[in-house]
Amino acid sequence: MGMLLLTSVFLWISVGFLSLPEKSEACTGNYSLAHCEFVFRNVCFEFVGGSKTWSQARSSCEKRGGELLKVMNSPIKMFLKNITREKNTGNLTWWLGEEVQRQKQEPTLLNADKCRYMKLNPLKLIKTSDCKQRRGFLCTHNVRSSSNTKQSTMVSSPATRSRPKRDVNAMALSVTNIVTFLMEADAELLRMETTAGEPTNDNRDKFIKYLLNAVKILPEEFVLQNDTISHIINCSTGILLLSMNKCDIQTNPNPTSLFEEVFEIFRTVSMLVGVATKQSIVIRHPIGTIYQSTYTPADLGNAVLGSKEDGVFIELPSFAALQPQLGTKGTIIAQMAAFPQNPHPSNHTISGTVCSLLLSNGESDIKLANLTEMIEIFLPHPNPSIPINSTIVLEKDTKALTNLNVSDTDMTIFFRVESSVNVSLVLRLSQGSPPNDTYFSSKTTLNLTRDCHWMITPEMLRHTPGAWYVDAGLFNSPWKPGLTLKITSFMSKCMYWNIENETWSTEGCQVGDKSTPEQTQCLCNHLTLFGSSFFVMPNYVDLSRTAELFSTLSQNYVVLALLCAFYGLYLVTLLWACYADRRARSKRKMTLLEDNHPGAQYNYLIGVQTGHRKNAGTTANVTVKLIGSDGESDIHILTDPEKPVFERGAVDMFLLATPYPLGEVRNLRLQHDNSGGRPSWYISKVTVQDLQTRHVIHFFCNCWLSADHGDNMTKKTFNAAKNNEIASFRNIFHSRTSTGFRDEHIWVSIVDPPSRSPFTRAQRVSCCMSLLLCTMAINIAFWSIPMDANSPIVFKIGSLQITWQELMVGVQSGFLMFPINILIITIFRSIRPRVISNSQKGNSEENLRPPAVNIPTILKDTEKVISLVSSNPKNKMSEMHRLESTTDLYLALERVHEFIQLMQGVSESDPHWVYCSKFLLAGLCHLLMCLEKLDEKHFPSPQEYQQTLNFTNLLVRKAEMVFSSHLSYCPPPVKKKKKKAASCWLPWWCVFLGWFLLVSISGVSTFFTLVYGLDYGKEKSIKWVMSLGLSLFQSIFILQPLKVLGVAVFFALLLKPVAVEESEEIEQVKLEQQDKCRRYSGRDTL
């Protein structure tokens, strides 16, 4: 009989869907694009008419899920003007939010805390003190278009305004026209995918119903068209996937009959094709495969349905068993469907392929039940687990005892015994305790020349869970020296889907004796959806023999001696690690530069990385100067009185504050005074991070600053690295390998971990010990498993080969060992550092008390402020000569007054004027505070003192106004949102959870390692220790370095630079600088 192969392509044919997301775009919580009339840059502008006060408008807008318009820039103004041309809104006024921003400074006579509204045609922003006036309001919502929408800006027009809504009922009108019907089905699937709350239960059921009706009346000319059949199958698959991935799947689950309803469409399609072609067909689809053939009743006896090549097939009983329910006339269509995954998830473990069998006479289904002969169903397990194997040397007059831990009472146990000699064995089964001559529940005799397995059924287990025992002894066979028994066991179970009860059941089905670990044979006397479960019994440890095993320590001390040696080495290393952590903790702090001006509030974080070369550290005094596109910083000394800096391999962090932004930092000037015993310094790299914009500038130095190394220079200027240099393979590979070996390589990182990592040396040493103990326990548990000669070879290069058994042992070992250890390491890595505040450090008020106030200090401070302001060309302020008297002070204040007037006249604000006016305000507040502490006797006359005091007070008020004005029209740069992973810190107390898990897993691993070692005996334990040493050497010196290099190459090929680390310490140091400004200016806030 010929075979017609129909292959369905997984595409939406008409509308061009390429894939179906896990969640529909309509699942997002943003404002629906379909309900919005005016959209600009993913923001919906909703003009709400009516008569509301400002507070009522704000509340009403928030209830709608939005907020009153706050930001007003040039693009938004242009957008609103376009709206005015299309909609008659010019004579109306609209309430706006409380923080509307404008690009240009406009004069106003109103106070700053008034309500705001706007008027269109022409666009005007107006402030009013009467917030109880009633008008409409402009509400904004965040929207998100569907994945297929390319348009990002849309203004309402007749072409874009909402159209009449369609629904699933449109499909019902074209059921008789399959071409139109499928177009309607595609459109409905698209609508469901892009509409919030779809598919609803009603729309889903109607879609399936209409599609099934259309298939049942499908004209014959379309049945033979592969495109039409594929289109129908894809539509049915589409509604199934949409239903499985809908947004409310947790609160509104699909009915368990959904799969049967969709599969009915598959069945009907297959039936139509089979009738039209009169041939056997196979329809393959990612959801499953349908095998269909046509038989006469007589031919159906002993027929094989499915595919032995695919591994899933059904063998029907003889015609004599089928005839009472089939009859003798007519044609029977047999449909067998195989599904790679369980379509009905439940508490039962259904692994491998699931299949169903349906028989039909073309008009109705034929039901088979209570057959006198069983239907044989063969279900494959694509990725079977390895059965439990054990090899036992059977001594004279002894028996081999095996413990079975039964948790599922419906499981069938296959107990296979292979002997090195042809003998007969007697096997006995008992519950709770080992069997003997008088106590056993079942027994059998195995003649190893004919059969070698015993199938223990649920009835033999009495459907009772718990510990069961099987012993094997000789039966009428002489004992021979070296007699070895290889015992293998696995479990399996057969179930079917009970449609009425909607649950899996074992009634009428049982496991056949042809079952293997790779394939289950199920014997059933009815037709339905069949599934199987395969389970490998874990290696059982008889804890009742623990005392007996520990009593043999005097004869078998190998494993105990090894554990004692490892624990001794661990304690010594732990003591050293605690000492090294204590030293490293003092060096970890970020440094606030002492020579920062107290009034400077624009912060740069400088990270200086000293190289790892021999004698790379320096004892000299190092200075730095930043050179930007808009200005230069002062020369600052990089030092910290509380810790040594610039040691070999160290990364030192400094906070440098400037009065105003330097623009784009282009150059970095480093210099040292060649002092101390070892002044030579090898500088690796420097990073400068603008803490306001989060922009990072890299300087790749990699050179000596030395009078006797390199080019014999102690002063150098470095250029900022370009983007291609930062993203180069060489830079990323070097950074990743350096970071990888010092942090990711858990063993090497003990010696030299990253200086700023919260993962301490003591924690790393303990994690290594835990990992070592886990490795020992799992290694010794799997070490005695005998090799399976029938295990297929997965990988082979020359003489090197890896079998399936070895691969599965590795996978199972990884699943047992790595999850808990990775969890422990992740906890230690992610614990939030406990930042010590100033009060805890002991910084008292006396340490920060300003010096005594007198005329020279006032002149010096004022001269410093003017010098810093005048150093920037943008300020257009000439430098002044040295201030020597109170007369010079007054002249300097007049110069400051001119500069304030200059800032008042600036039409467009930017961050430079914000921070510059803030710095000047802090300096004037400090001067005013100092003048108030003095009395008139320090001045030539009381009139001159009062004049200077009044003038300074006036300048302070003007500086406040200028600062407020620039701040309102140009707020400080908004910090970029950090990636979620970068800020994923655990609370500090989670360290106790990490230590608890570490100690627990170490204790359990130690116990089981000892138990296995004592059970193996001395000779086998010595062999195991030798193999363990080789395994550890391979892991530490081969696998771990290869992993680090592989990760480095991977990220280098992706051109992904190492992220700049951030921590709460940055905020702590910034607060220290702000505290200096508060004490300097005498004000809590500026």
Side-chain angles (χ1 to χ4, degrees):
M1 183 177 294
M3 182 71 69
L4 175 65
L5 179 64
L6 298 179
T7 303
S8 177
V9 183
F10 196 54
L11 293 172
W12 305 133
I13 296 175
S14 297
V15 296
F17 289 177
L18 295 180
S19 64
L20 187 68
E22 291 185 3
K23 292 291 183 184
S24 171
E25 293 287 349
C27 292
T28 60
N30 297 325
Y31 196 76
S32 175
L33 185 62
H35 300 91
C36 187
E37 188 176 8
F38 303 103
V39 179
F40 179 72
R41 293 182 178 176
N42 289 333
V43 176
C44 172
F45 291 76
E46 182 184 12
F47 289 84
V48 182
S51 179
K52 294 184 181 294
T53 64
W54 184 87
S55 60
Q56 291 174 343
R58 181 178 62 178
S59 300
S60 178
C61 185
E62 290 175 351
K63 290 180 180 179
R64 292 169 174 262
E67 61 180 0
L68 295 178
L69 175 64
K70 293 183 178 181
V71 178
M72 181 70 72
N73 51 31
S74 295
I76 293 180
K77 289 181 180 179
M78 185 63 66
F79 173 72
L80 293 176
K81 290 178 181 178
N82 292 335
I83 291 178
T84 306
R85 298 189 187 104
E86 292 195 10
K87 185 171 182 176
N88 185 19
T89 57
N91 296 326
L92 302 177
T93 57
W94 314 90
W95 285 121
L96 301 178
E98 65 273 23
E99 296 177 359
V100 174
Q101 300 165 15
R102 293 166 287 183
Q103 286 187 319
K104 294 187 178 181
Q105 183 178 2
E106 299 175 3
T108 179
L109 300 177
L110 300 175
N111 295 329
D113 56 346
K114 304 299 182 182
C115 298
R116 298 166 173 87
Y117 67 94
M118 74 172 183
K119 184 177 181 181
L120 300 175
N121 196 21
L123 178 64
K124 290 184 180 180
L125 303 178
I126 306 171
K127 299 180 180 178
T128 178
S129 58
D130 186 4
C131 298
K132 295 185 178 180
Q133 294 180 3
R134 294 184 176 272
R135 50 177 54 90
F137 57 94
L138 179 53
C139 193
T140 60
H141 307 267
N142 290 328
V143 299
R144 185 175 178 181
S145 60
S146 68
S147 58
N148 295 323
T149 303
K150 302 298 182 184
Q151 182 178 344
S152 61
T153 302
M154 180 180 68
V155 177
S156 177
S157 66
T160 60
R161 291 195 176 114
S162 59
R163 300 171 182 174
K165 292 185 178 180
R166 58 164 292 113
D167 58 21
V168 72
N169 293 319
M171 296 172 56
L173 304 177
S174 56
V175 169
T176 57
N177 188 333
I178 190 62
V179 177
T180 305
F181 177 83
L182 291 178
M183 293 177 61
E184 290 289 343
D186 289 336
E188 178 61 20
L189 287 173
L190 177 61
R191 186 192 70 81
M192 290 183 180
E193 184 187 11
T194 56
T195 304
E198 291 286 352
T200 63
N201 295 340
D202 184 59
N203 287 346
R204 176 201 64 218
D205 295 340
K206 286 183 178 179
F207 187 98
I208 297 173
K209 173 185 175 182
Y210 297 151
L211 184 56
L212 180 60
N213 292 340
V215 171
K216 288 181 178 180
I217 60 174
L218 187 66
E220 185 174 352
E221 61 269 20
F222 290 101
V223 172
L224 300 177
Q225 293 183 9
N226 196 17
D227 291 343
T228 302
I229 299 300
S230 298
H231 201 155
I232 294 172
I233 292 177
N234 286 320
C235 286
S236 58
T237 306
I239 190 62
L240 179 63
L241 293 179
L242 281 174
S243 301
M244 294 170 61
N245 297 311
K246 61 183 181 179
C247 302
D248 59 345
I249 189 69
Q250 300 297 330
T251 58
N252 181 26
N254 295 311
T256 55
S257 60
L258 174 63
F259 181 81
E260 275 74 21
E261 294 172 0
V262 175
F263 184 62
E264 178 69 17
I265 301 175
F266 282 70
R267 281 192 57 226
T268 305
V269 169
S270 176
M271 191 78 67
L272 291 175
V273 175
V275 172
T277 60
K278 308 297 183 182
Q279 295 178 344
S280 297
I281 64 171
V282 179
I283 299 179
R284 299 185 185 274
H285 193 274
I287 288 182
T289 303
I290 296 179
Y291 305 88
Q292 179 174 298
S293 299
T294 303
Y295 298 91
T296 63
D299 294 336
L300 200 59
N302 298 318
V304 177
L305 309 178
S307 171
K308 290 188 177 181
E309 290 77 11
D310 295 340
V312 53
F313 60 96
I314 296 176
E315 292 185 2
L316 294 177
S318 65
F319 177 65
L322 297 175
Q323 183 179 6
Q325 300 186 42
L326 288 182
T328 58
K329 298 181 180 180
T331 300
I332 296 177
I333 300 175
Q335 283 185 342
M336 184 195 132
F339 311 100
Q341 296 181 351
N342 177 20
H344 299 293
S346 64
N347 295 331
H348 296 280
T349 305
I350 308 296
S351 60
T353 304
V354 177
C355 77
S356 68
L357 175 61
L358 297 172
L359 302 179
S360 173
N361 57 12
E363 298 178 357
S364 61
D365 294 340
I366 300 174
K367 294 184 179 181
L368 299 181
N370 300 320
L371 296 174
T372 57
E373 298 178 18
M374 291 292 188
I375 302 173
E376 299 184 40
I377 304 103
F378 292 87
L379 303 173
H381 298 276
N383 300 306
S385 301
I386 299 177
I388 296 298
N389 295 324
S390 61
T391 302
I392 300 174
V393 177
L394 192 64
E395 302 295 341
K396 188 175 182 180
D397 298 328
T398 61
K399 298 182 184 296
L401 181 66
T402 302
N403 177 268
L404 305 175
N405 187 19
V406 178
S407 57
D408 189 341
T409 58
D410 292 324
M411 283 287 185
T412 296
I413 302 175
F414 285 84
F415 195 85
R416 184 178 299 271
V417 183
E418 298 179 18
S419 173
S420 59
V421 184
N422 288 335
V423 294
S424 296
L425 299 175
V426 59
L427 276 59
R428 296 179 298 189
L429 174 70
S430 65
Q431 180 191 7
S433 60
N436 53 43
D437 294 337
T438 59
Y439 176 72
F440 60 89
S441 59
S442 299
K443 72 174 182 178
T444 188
T445 303
L446 298 182
N447 188 340
L448 300 187
T449 60
R450 296 192 303 269
D451 54 16
C452 58
H453 74 272
W454 187 21
M455 188 171 71
I456 305 175
T457 65
E459 290 73 21
M460 296 168 62
L461 295 172
R462 304 170 185 170
H463 295 281
T464 304
W468 287 78
Y469 293 86
V470 177
D471 69 357
L474 294 175
F475 179 75
N476 295 333
S477 298
W479 175 83
K480 296 180 181 181
L483 176 60
T484 303
L485 300 182
K486 180 181 178 182
I487 299 175
T488 304
S489 59
F490 66 91
M491 294 183 179
S492 191
K493 180 171 64 173
C494 289
M495 290 170 285
Y496 77 96
W497 179 253
N498 190 316
I499 298 178
E500 296 180 357
N501 298 332
E502 295 185 346
T503 183
W504 288 97
S505 173
T506 60
E507 184 179 357
C509 290
Q510 64 188 45
V511 178
D513 60 358
K514 297 180 183 179
S515 297
T516 65
E518 295 78 20
Q519 186 181 59
T520 299
Q521 180 199 28
C522 293
L523 304 177
C524 297
N525 61 2
H526 53 76
L527 296 183
T528 183
L529 184 65
F530 306 101
S532 68
S533 176
F534 180 79
F535 177 71
V536 177
M537 291 183 298
N539 200 4
Y540 182 78
V541 178
D542 190 359
L543 297 180
S544 63
R545 298 181 59 220
T546 302
E548 175 187 348
L549 292 174
F550 274 90
S551 65
T552 63
L553 276 175
S554 58
Q555 294 83 25
N556 182 14
Y557 50 82
V558 176
V559 176
L560 178 61
L562 180 65
L563 288 172
C564 290
F566 280 146
Y567 271 105
L569 180 62
Y570 164 68
L571 292 176
V572 173
T573 310
L574 182 63
L575 292 176
W576 167 84
C578 292
Y579 171 74
D581 285 337
R582 191 178 298 110
R583 291 188 56 196
R585 197 174 299 117
S586 62
K587 301 177 184 179
R588 191 179 185 271
K589 68 179 284 284
M590 290 184 179
T591 302
L592 177 64
L593 295 181
E594 293 184 346
D595 54 3
N596 284 339
H597 192 282
Q601 291 297 302
Y602 202 91
N603 302 309
Y604 293 92
L605 183 68
I606 302 178
V608 182
Q609 182 176 334
T610 304
H612 287 80
R613 295 192 179 187
K614 184 179 180 181
N615 298 323
T618 182
T619 57
N621 296 316
V622 179
T623 60
V624 66
K625 182 175 184 178
L626 302 180
I627 303 172
S629 58
D630 295 340
E632 302 178 358
S633 70
D634 272 357
I635 297 177
H636 291 265
I637 301 176
L638 300 180
T639 184
D640 191 327
E642 299 180 3
K643 70 165 189 173
V645 293
F646 307 127
E647 294 185 331
R648 175 177 175 268
V651 178
D652 299 288
M653 310 294 289
F654 304 93
L655 185 75
L656 185 150
T658 60
Y660 38 74
L662 303 179
E664 181 184 355
V665 179
R666 296 174 177 174
N667 303 100
L668 173 81
R669 187 173 298 160
L670 290 174
Q671 180 180 0
H672 68 74
D673 58 3
N674 208 38
S675 62
R678 290 179 287 102
S680 298
W681 183 33
Y682 186 83
I683 175 69
S684 176
K685 67 178 291 187
V686 178
T687 58
V688 178
Q689 183 178 12
D690 187 329
L691 295 181
Q692 288 65 225
T693 63
R694 297 292 180 184
H695 180 60
V696 180
I697 306 96
H698 297 262
F699 296 90
F700 300 135
C701 306
N702 297 314
C703 64
W704 285 95
L705 263 65
S706 171
D708 50 7
H709 286 81
D711 49 9
N712 302 325
M713 297 178 62
T714 60
K715 178 180 179 181
K716 286 188 177 182
T717 301
F718 302 96
N719 298 325
K722 299 178 181 178
N723 290 334
N724 59 345
E725 294 176 316
I726 299 173
S728 66
F729 181 90
R730 178 182 179 182
N731 173 55
I732 299 176
F733 181 77
H734 178 268
S735 301
R736 287 285 174 181
T737 51
S738 175
T739 304
F741 278 105
R742 297 180 61 214
D743 194 17
E744 303 297 333
H745 194 301
I746 189 67
W747 302 91
V748 176
S749 66
I750 297 174
V751 180
D752 186 23
S755 58
R756 308 198 57 78
S757 174
F759 195 12
T760 65
R761 284 184 175 89
Q763 293 168 350
R764 292 173 189 267
V765 170
S766 301
C767 286
C768 285
M769 186 63 181
S770 172
L771 190 62
L772 175 62
L773 293 173
C774 282
T775 302
M776 293 173 63
I778 295 173
N779 186 287
I780 199 172
F782 285 96
W783 184 72
S784 62
I785 294 180
M787 295 298 297
D788 185 2
N790 298 322
S791 180
I793 297 175
V794 178
F795 179 78
K796 182 176 182 180
I797 299 180
S799 60
L800 176 65
Q801 64 181 25
I802 299 177
T803 65
W804 179 257
Q805 181 186 25
E806 293 170 337
L807 179 63
M808 289 304 299
V809 169
V811 172
Q812 293 176 14
S813 301
F815 278 120
L816 289 173
M817 178 173 60
F818 289 114
I820 183 65
N821 283 280
I822 291 176
L823 174 62
I824 295 172
I825 293 174
T826 303
I827 289 176
F828 285 137
R829 284 187 192 277
S830 306
I831 292 175
R832 186 189 303 273
R834 299 185 70 181
V835 179
I836 302 175
S837 62
N838 289 336
S839 59
Q840 292 174 306
K841 293 178 182 178
N843 289 340
S844 61
E845 295 287 336
E846 288 76 9
N847 294 334
L848 299 174
R849 180 177 296 170
V853 178
N854 50 47
I855 292 298
T857 59
I858 291 177
L859 296 177
K860 182 180 178 180
D861 291 344
T862 306
E863 182 182 343
K864 182 65 175 177
V865 171
I866 296 177
S867 174
L868 289 173
V869 173
S870 62
S871 63
N872 191 297
K874 191 173 183 179
N875 293 335
K876 300 178 182 180
M877 184 178 183
S878 59
E879 295 186 7
M880 289 194 64
H881 58 81
R882 183 176 180 181
L883 305 183
E884 299 179 351
S885 65
T886 55
T887 303
D888 294 337
L889 176 61
Y890 194 83
L891 294 175
L893 292 178
E894 289 182 340
R895 183 72 59 85
V896 173
H897 189 201
E898 294 175 359
F899 178 63
I900 292 176
Q901 291 176 334
L902 171 66
M903 289 192 294
Q904 285 179 325
V906 174
S907 59
E908 293 186 4
S909 182
D910 59 31
H912 170 83
W913 297 115
V914 174
Y915 282 94
C916 195
S917 59
K918 185 177 183 180
F919 171 73
L920 186 61
L921 175 59
L924 290 173
C925 290
H926 174 72
L927 175 60
L928 180 61
M929 181 177 65
C930 293
L931 289 175
E932 290 175 346
K933 291 181 179 180
L934 294 177
D935 51 26
E936 57 189 27
K937 65 181 181 180
H938 291 83
F939 284 76
S941 65
Q943 293 79 9
E944 184 176 346
Y945 169 73
Q946 193 62 40
Q947 183 182 13
T948 304
L949 183 63
N950 293 338
F951 193 25
T952 304
N953 201 357
L954 175 65
L955 293 180
V956 168
R957 293 197 301 270
K958 287 191 173 184
E960 285 179 337
M961 294 175 60
V962 171
F963 171 62
S964 300
S965 174
H966 284 291
L967 183 63
S968 62
Y969 294 119
C970 181
V974 179
K975 297 179 182 179
K976 295 180 181 179
K977 293 183 178 179
K978 301 178 188 177
K979 294 181 180 179
K980 193 171 183 180
S983 58
C984 183
W985 291 103
L986 297 175
W988 66 267
W989 51 262
C990 284
V991 69
F992 300 112
L993 175 62
W995 280 110
F996 171 76
L997 293 175
L998 190 146
V999 172
S1000 301
I1001 194 66
S1002 299
V1004 172
S1005 300
T1006 301
F1007 172 77
F1008 281 102
T1009 302
L1010 270 177
V1011 171
Y1012 276 111
L1014 295 174
D1015 185 58
Y1016 284 171
K1018 184 176 180 179
E1019 294 182 2
K1020 292 182 67 175
S1021 296
I1022 293 175
K1023 294 180 181 179
W1024 170 75
V1025 170
M1026 296 175 63
S1027 68
L1028 175 67
L1030 180 62
S1031 176
L1032 292 177
F1033 177 85
Q1034 175 185 350
S1035 174
I1036 297 173
F1037 297 104
I1038 299 178
L1039 296 181
Q1040 287 282 347
L1042 287 178
K1043 183 200 76 171
V1044 172
L1045 293 176
V1047 171
V1049 171
F1050 175 75
F1051 280 102
L1053 292 175
L1054 290 180
L1055 301 181
K1056 185 176 181 180
V1058 179
V1060 177
E1061 62 176 321
E1062 299 177 358
S1063 69
E1064 286 191 341
E1065 293 176 274
I1066 297 177
E1067 301 300 325
Q1068 180 69 23
V1069 179
K1070 288 172 64 177
L1071 290 175
E1072 292 181 25
Q1073 178 66 14
Q1074 293 174 9
D1075 188 61
K1076 287 177 62 177
C1077 182
R1078 179 179 62 83
R1079 298 175 186 277
Y1080 172 75
S1081 63
R1083 294 192 176 193
D1084 292 334
T1085 57
L1086 288 178

